[in-house]
């Protein structure tokens, strides 16, 4: 007779209480997950999160209360969870998981790692560390009503980076408010600003400088003091932007100087942010009107495809503010406007504000046409979705600790029930991709660039760190001499940073061996010299096309893999001998941008009954996963949901 401890077999319950697990992230999913783990019987848990608690977290991160604002998420989560199970042994780290202290040996201390992250760089890093340590990783994500959980095991499943990822569409608040580095960051900021001034105010859409930025919070006491100290603009104790704007009569010049001069000057006082970044340049309304010509225009073609100068966007900002102020007044007291990309004044406002911010942060400005195409709806964070996904993470963890990794599944949480009335759809895990530049036996990639225009610093920061997710790369040229191009040792190769690749004999066909010792990761980079890259494109990864769906399996292949002769088959059988059945997802029309996955991102496409899993960051459909004639099989899609939690 099977001995039970609660609802678990005694052997499994003993395994839970003895094993050490790591939870990376203590936000929306992380809070729910930590609570679930201790209530299930996990006793030895370590949790790491760099973030501090913000007022806007309190509506969905239930381990936190108002008195905790400004404190470390990891530490407060630990204290709250211990109230559920005082005997648990929980260690909290207020730190970045990308800190070199958390090396491969650190990861080998755990039987299991669970991600509850909100950004791709950290996900990539944890993926590589778990591969290097050969530790199972449970990856997860949510976007609005959609969610996904999957298991990554070296040699058995796809890793997080096996499928190319499209451009991220949701971002941490501190990136939007303090350190934008891409045009989309500025566009999201401008949409937030529209709502703060004219629409429904939302604490999650604050636009003033964020003094609780994790990069500033190495001293938790200082962070807490900052977060609760004052009511001035930009502090976490929020002053209503709309009330302030009303008090000025929506004066466009005062708004301009506050947003693009005063707030930027305040950001410049946060000197830690600018040690490794180019500092922003404040704009002053009077100086712009004196020095520039409003008619300055670049680009040809239709008016919407032209890019105005700074003076032109300043005037557009002023006109759009006046128009929107009048529209708001016509609606009466307490009225709100709703942002719509097809509403000309609203689109003018976002175009002007986004471009002015791009200029401040040294980015190339965009045409109205480009901004309109990039400005999708913001995906909300929903507490119930986080709770469901956290529960699924624990269920997959139980399979792993029972020794049943082969029974693990990718599970999708959908917005609407499918034709079989299922909201949760389990899908078979895919094997590793032979072409993955992370988990292949000999990772290799080909990069197309102009060797006469690409600086060594750009190779390091934009290609190796940003694109390929490395933390501290070392680069050696395969030229027969073993020339060291980049060293992770501080100061060794800094003199090379301002030189072009061609200065070191790198040309078409050159090969670079790149090592990241922290990640225990080696990548061979083949260089293709190209002089006709598209405008503003510094490099291309050959074969990397995340905006296009992978080629779906042929009809013949699908026929071979159909379970029970039905393409849209049912849920897995409980019999180990029965052939597999699978669920498909009902696709519904939605006004939201809908995410999807490549080891974490979910989204549905409107119009049909077949599931098309989209990328959470672009809404592009991914190919259907292979159907298997095995128990508990299903389709799977291949991206991650990246949401603000």
């Amino acid at each position: 007779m099977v001995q039970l401890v609660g609802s678990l077999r005694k052997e499994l319950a003993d395994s839970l209480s003895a094993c050490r697990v790591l939870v990376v992230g203590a936000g929306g999913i992380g809070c729910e997950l930590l609570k679930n783990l201790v209530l299930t019987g996990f006793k030895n848990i370590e949790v790491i999160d760099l973030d501090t608690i913000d007022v806007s977290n309190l509506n969905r991160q239930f381990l936190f209360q108002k008195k905790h604002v400004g404190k470390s998420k990891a530490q407060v989560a630990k204290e709250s969870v211990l109230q559920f199970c005082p005997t648990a042994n929980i260690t909290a780290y207020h730190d970045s998981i990308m800190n070199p202290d958390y090396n491969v040996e650190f990861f080998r201390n755990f039987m299991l790692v669970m991600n509850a992250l909100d950004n791709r760089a950290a996900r990539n890093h944890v993926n590589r560390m778990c591969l290097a340590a050969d530790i199972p990783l449970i990856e997860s994500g949510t976007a609005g009503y959609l969610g996904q959980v999957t298991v990554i095991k070296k040699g058995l499943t796809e890793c997080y980076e096996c499928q190319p990822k499209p451009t991220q569409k949701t971002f941490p608040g501190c990136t939007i408010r303090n350190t934008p580095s891409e045009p989309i960051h500025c566009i999201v900021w401008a949409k937030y600003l529209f709502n703060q001034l004219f629409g429904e105010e939302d604490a999650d859409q604050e636009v003033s400088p964020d003094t609780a930025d994790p990069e500033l919070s190495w001293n938790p006491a200082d962070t807490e003091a900052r977060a609760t100290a004052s009511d001035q603009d930009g502090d976490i104790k929020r002053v209503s932007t709309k009330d302030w704007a009303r008090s000025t009569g929506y004066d466009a010049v005062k708004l301009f100087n506050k947003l693009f001069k005063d707030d930027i000057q305040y950001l410049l006082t946060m000197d830690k942010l600018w040690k490794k970044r180019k500092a922003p340049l404040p704009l002053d309304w009077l100086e712009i009107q004196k020095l520039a010509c409003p008619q300055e225009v670049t680009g040809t073609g239709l008016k919407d495809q032209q890019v105005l100068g700074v003076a032109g966007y300043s005037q557009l900002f002023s006109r759009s503010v006046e128009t929107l102020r009048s529209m708001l007044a016509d609606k009466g007291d307490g009225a709100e406007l709703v942002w719509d990309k097809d509403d000309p004044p609203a689109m003018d406002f976002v175009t002007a504000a986004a471009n002015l911010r791009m200029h401040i942060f040294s980015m190339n400005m965009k045409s109205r046409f480009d901004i309109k195409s990039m400005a999708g709806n913001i995906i909300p964070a929903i507490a119930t979705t986080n709770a469901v996904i956290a529960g699924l993470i624990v269920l997959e963890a139980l399979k792993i600790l029972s020794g049943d990794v082969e029974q693990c599944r990718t599970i999708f949480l959908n917005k609407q029930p499918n034709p079989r009335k299922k909201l949760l759809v389990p899908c078979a895990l895919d094997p590793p991709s032979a072409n993955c530049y992370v988990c292949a036996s000999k990772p290799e990639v080909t990069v197309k660039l102009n060797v006469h225009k690409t600086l060594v610093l750009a190779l390091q920061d934009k290609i190796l760190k940003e694109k390929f997710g490395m933390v501290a790369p070392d680069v050696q040229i395969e030229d027969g001499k073993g020339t060291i191009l980049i060293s992770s040792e501080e100061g060794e190769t800094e003199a090379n940073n301002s030189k072009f690749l061609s200065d070191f004999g790198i040309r078409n066909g050159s090969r670079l061996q790149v090592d990241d010792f922290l990640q225990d990761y080696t990548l061979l980079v083949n260089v293709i010299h190209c002089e006709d890259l598209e405008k503003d494109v510094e490099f291309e990864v050959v074969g990397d096309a995340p905006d296009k769906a992978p080629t779906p399996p042929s009809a013949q292949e699908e026929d071979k893999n159909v379970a029970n002769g039905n393409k849209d088959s049912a849920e897995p059988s409980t019999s180990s001998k029965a052939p597999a059945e699978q669920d498909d997802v009902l696709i519904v029309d939605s006004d939201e941008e809908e995410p999807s996955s490549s080891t974490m991102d979910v989204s549905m496409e409107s119009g049909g009954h077949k599931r098309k899993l989209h990328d959470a960051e672009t809404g592009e459909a991914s190919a259907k996963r292979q159907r298997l004639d095995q128990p508990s099989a299903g389709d799977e899609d291949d991206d991650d949901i990246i949401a603000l939690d």
Side-chain angles (χ1 to χ4, degrees):
M1 185 174 176
V2 176
Q3 251 189 305
L4 296 178
V5 176
S7 59
L8 302 176
R9 297 191 320 274
K10 185 177 186 305
E11 298 84 359
L12 180 57
D14 291 344
S15 177
L16 262 58
S17 62
C19 74
R20 290 179 68 185
V21 297
L22 174 65
V23 175
V24 188
I29 295 174
C31 281
E32 296 285 349
L33 177 57
L34 288 166
K35 174 204 69 178
N36 290 350
L37 289 173
V38 296
L39 292 177
T40 305
F42 287 84
K43 298 292 186 185
N44 299 292
I45 303 168
E46 299 191 20
V47 57
I48 182 167
D49 196 310
L50 175 62
D51 211 354
T52 52
I53 298 164
D54 185 83
V55 172
S56 64
N57 300 146
L58 303 183
N59 70 339
R60 62 189 180 278
Q61 297 175 22
F62 302 130
L63 297 182
F64 309 141
Q65 300 172 34
K66 190 174 182 180
K67 65 183 179 182
H68 297 137
V69 169
K71 294 182 179 180
S72 160
K73 283 188 175 181
Q75 187 61 40
V76 174
K78 168 191 169 178
E79 293 165 2
S80 299
V81 164
L82 284 173
Q83 295 179 45
F84 291 101
C85 181
T87 60
N89 176 26
I90 303 176
T91 304
Y93 302 92
H94 178 65
D95 207 348
S96 168
I97 193 62
M98 298 175 76
N99 186 317
D101 291 342
Y102 309 110
N103 54 23
V104 174
E105 290 306 313
F106 172 80
F107 277 81
R108 286 188 178 133
N109 291 324
F110 304 100
M111 286 187 67
L112 180 61
V113 176
M114 290 166 267
N115 265 355
L117 286 163
D118 65 358
N119 70 89
R120 184 179 301 160
R123 290 171 188 250
N124 288 346
H125 181 71
V126 174
N127 174 61
R128 296 177 188 192
M129 300 305 284
C130 287
L131 290 172
D134 198 7
I135 301 297
L137 168 65
I138 302 179
E139 181 59 271
S140 64
T142 61
Y145 294 99
L146 305 172
Q148 182 178 338
V149 174
T150 198
V151 173
I152 297 169
K153 181 69 174 77
K154 183 177 181 179
L156 183 65
T157 73
E158 277 190 340
C159 79
Y160 178 74
E161 297 169 82
C162 272
Q163 301 294 335
K165 301 290 189 298
T167 305
Q168 185 174 331
K169 283 195 176 176
T170 56
F171 308 90
C174 54
T175 300
I176 300 299
R177 295 166 63 183
N178 289 1
T179 54
S181 58
E182 301 174 21
I184 187 64
H185 299 159
C186 300
I187 294 168
V188 171
W189 178 88
K191 288 183 63 182
Y192 285 178
L193 178 62
F194 177 92
N195 287 334
Q196 292 290 324
L197 291 174
F198 308 107
E200 181 180 359
E201 291 182 279
D202 184 339
D204 281 334
Q205 298 185 0
E206 183 57 69
V207 294
S208 298
D210 182 5
T211 57
D213 190 319
E215 286 193 54
L216 302 172
S217 59
W218 297 108
N219 184 332
D222 288 351
T223 305
E224 184 178 355
R226 267 200 209 103
T228 56
S230 73
D231 288 337
Q232 64 181 308
D233 287 339
D235 259 334
I236 199 168
K237 201 172 178 183
R238 312 218 193 284
V239 171
S240 168
T241 304
K242 186 181 289 184
D243 287 347
W244 178 82
R246 281 175 178 156
S247 72
T248 70
Y250 283 97
D251 185 299
V253 175
K254 288 182 179 178
L255 281 172
F256 183 97
N257 282 332
K258 193 267 183 200
L259 295 165
F260 304 116
K261 178 184 175 184
D262 299 344
D263 281 359
I264 303 304
Q265 288 175 338
Y266 186 77
L267 275 177
L268 289 171
T269 66
M270 303 179 188
D271 53 348
K272 280 188 180 179
L273 296 178
W274 316 116
K275 286 183 179 178
K276 296 183 179 180
R277 295 183 179 93
K278 186 173 181 180
L281 300 171
L283 294 176
D284 181 87
W285 175 269
L286 290 177
E287 289 182 9
I288 290 171
Q289 306 316 309
K290 289 177 186 174
L291 300 176
C293 171
Q295 303 305 317
E296 177 190 355
V297 175
T298 59
T300 57
L302 300 174
K303 185 178 178 181
D304 273 9
Q305 295 176 339
Q306 296 175 343
V307 178
L308 309 181
V310 174
Y313 283 123
S314 301
Q315 293 296 334
L316 182 62
F317 178 83
S318 177
R319 292 195 303 270
S320 62
V321 166
E322 177 58 31
T323 303
L324 292 167
R325 183 199 63 78
S326 299
M327 291 169 63
L328 199 59
D330 291 344
K331 283 178 170 281
D333 291 341
E336 295 172 345
L337 302 180
V338 177
W339 189 82
D340 184 344
K341 63 183 178 183
D342 295 318
D343 178 35
M347 196 62 231
D348 284 346
F349 177 85
V350 168
T351 299
N355 272 310
L356 290 167
R357 193 161 172 90
M358 286 181 220
H359 178 81
I360 286 167
F361 285 90
S362 304
M363 294 175 231
N364 292 327
M365 294 188 289
K366 298 285 184 181
S367 69
R368 177 193 173 103
F369 178 85
D370 288 336
I371 289 177
K372 186 174 181 178
S373 68
M374 294 169 74
N377 290 325
I378 304 303
I379 301 169
I382 296 174
T384 308
T385 310
N386 293 334
V388 173
I389 291 304
L392 293 171
I393 293 171
V394 175
L395 292 177
E396 293 305 301
L398 294 178
K399 294 178 189 176
I400 292 170
L401 295 174
S402 298
D404 295 328
V405 178
E406 294 78 7
Q407 298 302 314
C408 290
R409 295 288 177 264
T410 292
I411 304 171
F412 298 103
L413 171 63
N414 301 307
K415 187 174 180 180
Q416 296 275 332
N418 67 2
R420 305 189 69 86
K421 309 254 189 301
K422 304 291 184 184
L423 278 174
L424 295 173
V425 183
C427 307
L429 298 171
D430 274 3
S433 168
N435 298 320
C436 179
Y437 61 74
V438 175
C439 68
S441 57
K442 293 183 179 179
E444 187 170 337
V445 72
T446 299
V447 178
K448 187 186 295 185
L449 48 76
N450 189 327
V451 297
H452 303 299
K453 294 183 178 179
T454 303
L455 295 172
V456 172
L457 185 62
L459 171 68
Q460 174 185 278
D461 290 349
K462 295 188 177 180
I463 300 179
L464 300 179
K465 290 186 176 180
E466 188 176 318
K467 176 64 181 176
F468 295 125
M470 295 187 178
V471 177
D474 291 274
V475 181
Q476 179 176 311
I477 306 171
E478 292 194 351
D479 55 1
K481 307 173 193 172
T483 303
I484 303 297
L485 186 65
I486 298 170
S487 172
S488 57
E489 294 295 326
E490 191 172 348
E492 275 195 10
T493 56
E494 280 185 13
N496 296 347
N497 288 347
S498 58
K499 297 179 181 178
F500 295 106
L501 298 186
S502 56
D503 295 337
F504 296 88
I506 297 173
R507 58 184 187 276
N508 189 56
S510 291
R511 290 158 68 91
L512 310 175
Q513 181 172 313
V514 188
D515 294 285
D516 190 316
F517 294 107
L518 172 61
Q519 297 179 341
D520 194 14
Y521 174 49
T522 298
L523 178 67
L524 185 64
V525 177
N526 298 297
V527 176
I528 294 181
H529 172 63
C530 179
E531 297 188 357
D532 56 356
L533 291 169
E534 292 181 19
K535 185 182 178 183
D536 297 331
V537 174
E538 294 184 61
F539 68 93
E540 290 178 3
V541 178
V542 177
D544 186 2
D547 293 332
K548 297 178 182 177
T551 307
S554 67
Q556 187 177 3
E557 286 176 324
E558 262 196 305
D559 288 341
K560 283 183 190 174
N561 292 317
V562 168
N564 290 341
N566 179 5
K567 285 186 187 178
D568 301 329
S569 41
E571 65 189 20
S573 167
T574 54
S575 165
S576 61
K577 295 181 181 178
E581 296 180 291
Q582 298 164 323
D583 277 315
D584 265 347
V585 177
L586 175 64
I587 292 135
V588 296
D589 289 316
S590 170
D591 292 333
E592 295 176 10
E593 253 181 294
E594 300 201 285
S596 179
S597 96
S598 150
T599 346
M600 276 311 74
D601 279 319
V602 184
S603 184
M604 310 302 135
E605 186 179 78
S606 61
H609 287 275
K610 283 266 171 116
R611 180 172 66 170
K612 284 191 180 176
L613 294 161
H614 288 46
D615 195 283
E617 298 151 359
T618 64
E620 295 293 327
S622 295
K624 283 195 172 184
R625 298 272 186 176
Q626 184 182 24
R627 300 176 182 271
L628 305 175
D629 287 302
Q630 298 294 331
S632 306
D635 344 326
E636 171 188 25
D637 123 282
D638 54 41
D639 248 9
D640 60 61
I641 294 179
I642 304 236
L644 294 182
D645 279 332

